[in-house]
DNA sequence: GTATATTTGCAACTCGCTTGCAAAAAACTT
DNA sequence: AAGTTTTTTGCAAGCGAGTTGCAAATATAC
C-alpha cells in the first residue's frame, strides 16, 4: 500500500476485489495487480506496457496473458488491434464504449468518446489529422447458428 | 488460357497486366495469378484460401505474402482482420468501399455494401444476426507528424 | 487446519508471417 | 535479339506474439 495515498489505494483494492468476485475469478496477486493497473490508467496498453508497469518480476508474462484473456472473456477488459499482431487492453467501462485513432507515423493513440463515423472523421480533421482511414468490422451470430 | 472461355480469360489477363503496370509492379506469373484470382472472386481470402485456388505448386507461400503486401501497399488490395492473427485479402474497388461481418460461431463472412453503424446493425438484426458487436478503428497522420 | 480445486511460473512450443541468399526471370540497353 | 542490369522468386531458416503442459504454489471449501 502506498505511503502517500493509503485511502485511494485501499478503495481501488476493494473495487478490484469486487470486480473479480463478480466475474467469478479467484482473488490472486497477479489478477489484482493487473486489474488495478488498468483501473488507474486509461490505456489501451500492450502486454509489454502492462508488464513494465507491474511490480518488477511480480509475475510471468504467461500469467499476464492468461489474466487478460480471462478479463476479456468476462467483459472486464476490452481489446483493440490498432497495429498488426499487437493486442492492446483497457478497462471496459460499458458506459463509455468508444474507439481509437492511431497515428500512422508516430503511433500515438487517442481515445474517441463517440461512435459515428462521419462525425468522428470531421472532428479528427479539425484536430489536424490527415489521410484518415478507418476499419470497421462486425461480429455476431448468424441466423443458421442461432436456430438449432 | 481456358478452353471454355478464352475471351473472358484474355480480358482478365489484360486487365491484370494493366493494373500491375499502373502500380509500377513488373509482370510476373505469381502476380498475375494472384491478382486475377482476386479479381474473379470477391473474398476476402486468407493466404491459405489463395494458395488453394492457385495452380498447384505454382508459387511459394513467401511469394504469395510478398505479392499481397505489395498489392496492399499500392492499394490494389484491401485487408481485413476479422479473426486474430488471420489476415484476409480482397480486390480493392475504391467505388465499393465496404465492411464485413463474421459469425462468431461458424466464421462465415459476409460483405456489407454500406458504411454507417446503426443502419448496418439494424439491417443485420433483420437478417437474423444476434449479439452483434463491432470494432471500429481509425488511422491517420496526427498534427505533430504533419508539421515538420 | 486439512483437503480440494485453481492458478502460477517456467520452458518449450505454435503458427502466421518475414527474411537472407543464390538462382531464375523480367526489364532495360544497344 | 543478345547482353546487361534489376527485380523477383524459391527455399529454408528465423521471428515474435501468444499459448500450453506440467509440477509447484496458492486460493477456496469444509
Ligand atoms: Mn480507449
Ligand atoms: Mn468484401
Ligand atoms: Zn503522429
Ligand atoms: Zn454462423
Amino acid at each position: 500500500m502506498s505511503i502517500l495515498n493509503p485511502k485511494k489505494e485501499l478503495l481501488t483494492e476493494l473495487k478490484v476485489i469486487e470486480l473479480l468476485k463478480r466475474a467469478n475469478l479467484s482473488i490472486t496477486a497477479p489478477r489484482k495487480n493487473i486489474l488495478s493497473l488498468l483501473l488507474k490508467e486509461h490505456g489501451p496498453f500492450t502486454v509489454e506496457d502492462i508488464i513494465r508497469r507491474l511490480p518488477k518480476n511480480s509475475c510471468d508474462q504467461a500469467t499476464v496473458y492468461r489474466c487478460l484473456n480471462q478479463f476479456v472473456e468476462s467483459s472486464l477488459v476490452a481489446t483493440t488491434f490498432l497495429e498488426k499482431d499487437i493486442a492492446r487492453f483497457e478497462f471496459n467501462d460499458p458506459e463509455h464504449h468508444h474507439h481509437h485513432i492511431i497515428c500512422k507515423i508516430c503511433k500515438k493513440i487517442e481515445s474517441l468518446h463517440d461512435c459515428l463515423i462521419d462525425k468522428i472523421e470531421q472532428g479528427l480533421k479539425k484536430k489536424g489529422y490527415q489521410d484518415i482511414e478507418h476499419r470497421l468490422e462486425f461480429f455476431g451470430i448468424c441466423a443458421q447458428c442461432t436456430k438449432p
Side-chain angles (χ1 to χ4, degrees), chain A:
Chain A
M1 191 192 302
S2 148
I3 295 173
L4 286 171
N5 204 336
K7 252 186 187 156
K8 197 177 172 193
E9 285 288 323
L10 234 159
L11 279 175
T12 309
E13 168 117 15
L14 288 177
K15 185 169 183 192
V16 161
I17 290 173
E18 175 59 25
L19 286 168
L20 289 173
K21 277 188 177 154
R22 260 211 295 259
N24 260 313
L25 296 168
S26 46
I27 316 299
T28 70
R31 283 177 183 161
K32 284 195 288 185
N33 286 334
I34 295 165
L35 192 53
S36 77
L37 184 162
L38 293 176
L39 223 59
K40 279 179 206 146
E41 279 188 77
H42 176 90
F45 297 118
T46 62
V47 167
E48 205 190 329
D49 292 336
I50 291 171
I51 289 173
R52 199 180 320 116
R53 277 155 227 258
L54 242 28
K56 187 98 177 167
N57 286 13
S58 68
C59 85
D60 191 81
Q61 91 165 7
T63 303
V64 177
Y65 278 108
R66 280 188 282 227
C67 290
L68 288 170
N69 288 343
Q70 292 151 353
F71 294 167
V72 171
E73 178 68 22
S74 49
S75 299
L76 277 173
V77 160
T79 43
T80 51
F81 294 91
L82 290 150
E83 293 179 273
K84 199 165 149 324
D85 286 337
I86 303 182
R88 284 189 169 81
F89 304 84
E90 67 186 355
F91 182 70
N92 179 31
D93 181 350
E95 309 275 293
H96 295 86
H97 168 72
H98 64 279
H99 302 285
H100 303 88
I101 182 162
I102 184 167
C103 174
K104 289 171 183 174
I105 298 173
C106 70
K107 312 297 176 194
K108 187 189 67 187
I109 293 169
E110 224 181 303
S111 293
L112 307 165
H113 304 293
D114 203 329
C115 184
L116 271 169
I117 300 174
D118 288 348
K119 209 170 134 196
I120 295 177
E121 291 208 348
Q122 291 316 314
L124 291 172
K125 271 179 197 157
K126 278 193 190 119
K127 267 185 147 168
Y129 278 98
Q130 292 192 3
D131 191 16
I132 303 169
E133 293 174 70
H134 64 269
R135 182 169 296 146
L136 173 57
E137 320 277 17
F138 292 88
F139 308 85
I141 297 172
C142 76
Q144 277 125 302
C145 291
T146 304
K147 279 178 210 156

